[in-house]
Amino acid sequence: MNRILLGFSNNIDHEIFWNQDFFNKLILRYKICYEDINRLEEIQSIRDLLITILFCVKNNIGLEYHVSNFTTLYEFSSLFEYKITHGGTAIRAGIALNIMNKSCAVYLSSYSQDIVNLLPSKIHYLNCSRYTCLLYTSPSPRDLSTSRMPSSA
């Protein structure tokens, strides 16, 4: 079984599990031909997303590509079995450090409780917004009642 990672909101990936037969059916359903995968354009539909994936496969490259319509990503990943994982180099490095029983802090460029709930217990996080940046250093990021927040926060 192969995997494709779809990045959502900078810190969330939908890791889809797909097989070649189903992918080929999608290519036929969306009427994608070889000439379609010679260029990249803005992703506005499932067809555009398929073309982008095929472009990468054809050219043996990986890339990060902005998708302005989250609905397209959710619709695409719902076609497959998938799991939600953390994306981004910093968080992936933090997960590796957690496996080695090391603590670390990561900057969350986008924040949601879903992101925090996926963090291993030894990863602390910075939740930076437009006007402020807060460091949460609880024993577990999921247990905000025991956060050691500065009294000025």
Side-chain angles (χ1 to χ4, degrees), residues 30-88:
Y30 289 97
K31 298 179 173 123
I32 298 171
C33 59
Y34 188 78
E35 293 76 29
D36 294 329
I37 61 174
N38 289 323
R39 66 193 181 296
L40 291 178
E41 296 186 12
E42 184 177 353
I43 297 173
Q44 297 181 347
S45 67
I46 290 176
R47 185 177 190 280
D48 297 337
L49 184 54
L50 285 166
I51 289 171
T52 301
I53 292 169
L54 291 168
F55 178 88
C56 292
V57 170
K58 175 187 168 201
N59 292 291
N60 197 28
I61 61 171
L63 60 84
E64 291 185 21
Y65 207 76
H66 177 72
V67 179
S68 57
N69 183 349
F70 284 109
T71 303
T72 298
L73 292 173
Y74 286 110
E75 287 174 2
F76 183 78
S77 61
S78 72
L79 298 172
F80 302 87
E81 176 187 343
Y82 70 92
K83 68 178 182 177
I84 297 173
T85 60
H86 272 294

